[in-house]
């Protein structure tokens, strides 16, 4: 018997449908997302994600800000991992200005971005556990995240909105004390990953809730334009760090973990494995940290890039984050567009939620790891 | 048979999980008991903005650098010659708009910095008027707040612990 279809069907036996608002104040929507669900009994017949509750118009705001000030606004897109946002904007602007960050700055960019990926995936791990009903991993995940935030606080002065990666380089330097603390954290963190596997990844209850739920085949995932761990969970090997390396990612040795079936558990486990790879990258980058300047020469206080357009994309924690930047030669961007991974990942929900049960909605939604700050911008 | 297998594997996973949490039970807690126990942030931490009228030269670079236009100031004029004097007549910061990005501090040309991020992180305001800090010559580093009812400046209500010397580069 298939439970995914309403039992009562046929002429004269149509079931009354019910409309349910999931969100925008539901704690499991991870922000202010509203899902309009049409239910037949317990089965979803129609779902639509409704966004726009956190729209701040940063793309438009940037048209009136100088390039240095724009970096501050980029922090507010994906606030769980703000470092790749800074990086994507700076790479696009640097392309326009035809400058390149010095090697030490590039290594620091890699280190901070990968630490941010770990911090961001730890939020996912903790909150996804809570969504499914496991509270304990959340406390452990946030303990480790706190250590990364402490590292950031010591390095760039903020815990969430860093404004660390600047045009042509990075804002501040690391000292021996910081690198020692960072290594200490990595050593502490590696065995913790095994604990997460015991607590959550291979827990039979968690497996029953997530394995085989919300399956996205490789082709569907590619057709909807998914990126990041959501795409790799379906088995498609696409990673900007490999396909179009930036900041010297080609010199680091790391694997791109892939899922098998594209179910919620595959997307989840892809992220857990990515944390291991990030640890590897940070270790390698710390070991081979070159000396030298932090800032490229010739970055003006009020930069005026030559007229033209540039596109730069990075592998952010949640996927392929792209910035399209048009300059008319003035002090502010003429137009800026963000290819936000969360926004594009969210669209597939209306397709894959149909036919699922209400209880699975949270499991599927949580596995996409959306941040509404980036969806609405 | 499958039923018993499921039950036994679930209970084994339950025990495994409890074993991990049990080991942490006997380790010192990492939680900071916030209101009674307060951490001091790192040197570079960007907390509440403070201003020093004594060193300010009223150049206005901080106001230009600010991405959210939360800084306003006016330079003094000489009473006789009516020329601009490099001293601030008044200076105001809207902390409700502040991004805590540090660009104003970086733009400030004086030494020590006239506007800088202190280590204060306990920023809670009970009214919107409290968010706008004003400075005039002779005001404390934390600034004062304009009370529209009393038509006078008063000290900010909820301000706690200004660690003014730290983090001032």
């Amino acid at each position: 018997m298939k439970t995914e279809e309403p039992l009562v069907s046929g002429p004269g036996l149509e079931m009354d449908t019910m409309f349910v608002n999931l969100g925008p104040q539901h704690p499991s929507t991870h922000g202010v997302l509203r899902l309009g669900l049409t239910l037949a009994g317990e089965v979803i017949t129609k779902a639509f994600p409704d966004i726009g509750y956190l729209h701040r118009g940063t793309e438009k705001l940037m048209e009136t800000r100088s390039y240095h000030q724009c970096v501050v606004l980029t922090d507010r897109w994906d606030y769980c991992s703000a470092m790749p946002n800074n990086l994507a904007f700076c790479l696009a602007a640097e392309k326009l200005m035809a400058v390149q960050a010095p090697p030490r700055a590039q290594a620091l960019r890699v280190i901070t971005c990968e630490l941010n990926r770990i911090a961001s995936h730890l939020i996912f791990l903790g909150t996804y556990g809570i969504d499914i009903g496991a509270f304990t991993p959340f406390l452990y995940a946030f303990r480790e995240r706190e250590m990364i935030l402490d590292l950031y606080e010591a390095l760039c002065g903020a815990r969430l909105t860093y404004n660390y990666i600047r045009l042509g380089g990075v804002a501040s330097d690391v000292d021996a004390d910081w690198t020692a603390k960072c290594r200490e954290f990595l050593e502490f963190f590696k065995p913790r990953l095994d604990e997460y596997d015991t607590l959550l990844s291979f827990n039979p209850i968690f497996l029953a809730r997530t394995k085989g739920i919300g399956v996205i085949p490789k082709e569907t995932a590619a057709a909807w334009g998914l990126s990041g761990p959501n795409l790799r969970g379906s088995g498609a090997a696409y990673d900007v760090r490999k396909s179009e390396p930036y900041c010297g990612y080609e010199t680091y040795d790391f694997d791109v973990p892939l899922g098998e079936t594209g179910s919620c558990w595959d997307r989840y486990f892809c992220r857990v494995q990515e944390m291991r790879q990030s640890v590897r990258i940070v270790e390698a980058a710390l070991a081979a940290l070159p000396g030298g300047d932090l800032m490229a020469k010739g970055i003006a206080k009020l930069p005026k890039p030559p007229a033209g357009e540039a596109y730069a994309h990075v592998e952010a924690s949640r996927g392929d984050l792209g910035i399209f930047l048009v300059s008319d030669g003035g002090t502010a961007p003429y137009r800026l567009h963000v290819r936000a991974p969360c926004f594009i990942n969210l669209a597939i929900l209306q397709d894959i939620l149909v036919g699922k049960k209400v209880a699975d909605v949270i499991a599927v939604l949580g596995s996409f790891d959306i941040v509404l700050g980036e969806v609405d911008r | 048979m499958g039923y018993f297998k499921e039950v036994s594997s679930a209970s084994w996973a339950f025990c495994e999980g409890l074993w991990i949490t049990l080991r942490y039970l006997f380790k010192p807690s990492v939680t900071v008991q916030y209101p009674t126990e307060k951490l001091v942030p790192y040197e570079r931490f960007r907390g509440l903005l403070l201003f020093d009228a004594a060193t300010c030269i009223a150049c206005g670079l901080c106001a230009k650098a600010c991405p959210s236009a939360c800084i306003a100031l006016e330079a003094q004029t000489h009473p006789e010659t009516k020329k601009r004097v490099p001293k601030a007549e008044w200076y105001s910061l809207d902390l409700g708009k502040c991004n805590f990005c540090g660009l104003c501090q970086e733009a400030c040309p004086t030494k020590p910095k006239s506007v800088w991020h202190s280590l204060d992180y306990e920023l809670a305001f009970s009214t919107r008027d409290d968010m706008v800090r004003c400075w005039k010559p002779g005001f404390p580093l934390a600034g004062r707040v304009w009370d529209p009812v009393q038509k006078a400046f008063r000290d900010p209500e909820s301000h706690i612990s200004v660690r003014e010397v730290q983090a001032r580069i």
Side-chain angles (χ1 to χ4, degrees):
Chain A
M1 188 177 76
K2 272 186 84 175
T3 54
E4 266 66 34
E5 281 160 20
L7 282 178
V8 189
S9 60
L13 284 171
E14 285 88 12
M15 197 177 250
D16 279 349
T17 55
M18 188 164 69
F19 185 79
V20 173
N21 273 313
L22 185 76
Q25 265 82 37
H26 193 283
S28 286
T29 53
H30 297 276
V32 277
L33 169 73
R34 175 173 160 257
L35 276 176
L37 304 172
T38 312
L39 307 177
E42 221 185 319
V43 181
I44 291 154
T45 56
K46 199 169 164 242
F48 75 90
D50 184 14
I51 61 169
Y53 293 92
L54 201 59
H55 180 66
R56 294 151 298 176
T58 42
E59 287 180 12
K60 188 71 190 166
L61 273 175
M62 284 184 178
E63 292 169 18
T64 58
R65 301 286 191 277
S66 82
Y67 283 82
H68 287 297
Q69 293 173 342
C70 285
V71 180
V72 177
L73 293 180
T74 63
D75 280 331
R76 272 84 187 163
W77 296 333
D78 183 352
Y79 41 76
C80 289
S81 70
M83 213 55 100
N85 300 353
N86 287 353
L87 180 60
F89 177 81
C90 288
L91 284 179
E94 283 165 13
K95 249 186 204 176
L96 273 179
M97 293 192 273
V99 291
Q100 210 182 5
R104 187 174 175 85
Q106 293 208 358
L108 284 176
R109 284 173 173 192
V110 169
I111 292 170
T112 48
C113 282
E114 291 306 318
L115 280 177
N116 219 169
R117 192 184 310 278
I118 297 174
S120 163
H121 285 353
L122 280 174
I123 296 188
F124 165 77
L125 188 133
T127 52
Y128 195 47
I130 288 191
D131 287 349
I132 300 295
F135 186 73
T136 316
F138 172 77
L139 300 172
Y140 292 122
F142 267 62
R143 177 190 58 191
E144 271 80 87
R145 176 171 177 265
E146 183 68 24
M147 294 174 176
I148 299 179
L149 295 192
D150 268 353
L151 285 171
Y152 277 138
E153 194 185 318
L155 178 61
C156 44
R159 299 164 65 80
L160 216 55
T161 50
Y162 310 111
N163 190 20
Y164 175 67
I165 295 173
R166 304 285 174 86
L167 302 177
V170 293
S172 51
D173 202 357
V174 298
D175 50 11
D177 210 29
W178 192 88
T179 46
K181 261 185 81 177
C182 191
R183 284 206 182 90
E184 196 182 314
F185 162 74
L186 294 174
E187 285 311 313
F188 172 81
F189 184 63
K190 274 185 268 179
R192 298 290 88 75
L193 280 164
D194 298 326
E195 282 183 8
Y196 301 149
D197 282 352
T198 318
L199 280 174
L200 198 61
S201 307
F202 296 107
N203 184 302
I205 301 166
F206 181 72
L207 284 172
R209 283 295 307 275
T210 54
K211 212 154 196 179
I213 304 291
V215 175
I216 308 172
K218 205 177 184 176
E219 292 72 29
T220 320
W224 281 88
L226 297 191
S227 56
N230 296 331
L231 176 68
R232 292 194 286 273
S234 298
Y238 173 69
D239 190 319
V240 184
R241 292 174 292 175
K242 286 281 187 198
S243 64
E244 221 175 301
Y246 51 93
C247 290
Y249 265 111
E250 65 275 12
T251 55
Y252 303 110
D253 181 32
F254 66 100
D255 305 324
V256 178
L258 296 178
E260 279 159 16
T261 56
S263 69
C264 291
W265 189 82
D266 283 304
R267 287 192 284 278
Y268 160 84
F269 200 58
C270 214
R271 289 190 173 89
V272 175
Q273 286 174 304
E274 259 182 32
M275 285 198 265
R276 285 182 206 276
Q277 300 304 324
S278 291
V279 169
R280 268 178 76 185
I281 298 174
V282 175
E283 275 180 339
L286 278 177
L289 192 62
D293 290 338
L294 289 178
M295 278 295 213
K297 300 271 183 303
I299 304 285
K301 285 259 165 64
L302 201 61
K304 285 184 190 165
E309 48 189 59
Y311 181 76
H313 60 160
V314 299
E315 184 70 29
S317 311
R318 285 167 179 77
D320 179 357
L321 173 71
I323 304 287
F324 180 63
L325 191 58
V326 184
S327 164
D328 57 354
T331 55
Y334 177 75
R335 175 79 173 94
L336 181 126
H337 178 74
V338 190
R339 186 224 179 268
C342 289
F343 173 66
I344 294 163
N345 290 347
L346 191 65
I348 199 176
L349 273 183
Q350 54 197 303
D351 189 42
I352 60 161
L353 280 184
V354 174
K356 301 271 180 321
K357 290 198 164 183
V358 183
D360 291 335
V361 173
I362 300 300
V364 173
L365 176 63
S367 74
F368 279 100
D369 190 21
I370 48 165
V371 163
L372 268 294
E374 192 175 67
V375 173
D376 293 339
R377 301 190 291 287
Chain B
M1 203 53 210
Y3 174 76
F4 289 109
K5 219 173 158 185
E6 218 167 89
V7 168
S8 66
S9 81
S11 28
W12 173 241
F14 183 66
C15 295
E16 263 186 328
L18 278 185
W19 173 239
I20 289 177
T21 49
L22 187 76
R23 273 184 300 168
Y24 280 114
L25 187 64
F26 299 105
K27 285 183 186 168
S29 164
V30 292
T31 316
V32 177
Q33 302 297 332
Y34 165 62
T36 49
E37 186 187 343
K38 285 176 186 171
L39 297 179
V40 177
Y42 290 93
E43 192 78 352
R44 285 176 188 163
F45 183 71
R46 302 196 295 262
L48 176 73
L49 277 170
L50 300 182
F51 175 72
D52 187 358
T55 53
C56 178
I57 56 166
C59 61
L61 282 179
C62 48
K64 281 200 188 103
C66 180
S68 49
C70 74
I71 300 175
L73 77 158
E74 200 175 294
Q76 290 177 5
T77 48
H78 198 274
E80 283 155 24
T81 57
K82 302 287 173 205
K83 271 189 183 160
R84 195 180 155 279
V85 183
K87 282 280 162 214
E89 170 77 30
W90 57 265
Y91 190 93
S92 87
L93 268 172
D94 190 344
L95 292 170
K97 289 183 192 166
C98 181
N99 270 320
F100 295 89
C101 64
L103 290 182
C104 53
Q105 181 184 342
E106 282 168 28
C108 185
T110 65
K111 226 170 198 181
K113 301 280 184 191
S114 302
V115 58
W116 73 98
H117 283 283
S118 66
L119 301 186
D120 282 0
Y121 52 86
E122 288 167 322
L123 308 172
F125 305 101
S126 43
T127 60
R128 280 174 195 274
D129 295 331
D130 267 22
M131 292 179 181
V132 185
R133 293 281 169 91
C134 302
W135 285 267
K136 283 186 160 190
F139 275 25
L141 295 180
R144 304 189 79 186
V145 175
W146 175 255
D147 193 328
V149 181
Q150 303 289 328
K151 301 261 183 282
F153 284 105
R154 59 171 169 78
D155 285 327
E157 243 170 60
S158 49
H159 195 98
I160 320 155
S161 73
V162 179
R163 301 181 202 89
E164 52 200 38
V165 197
Q166 284 161 300
R168 191 178 177 190
I169 315 148

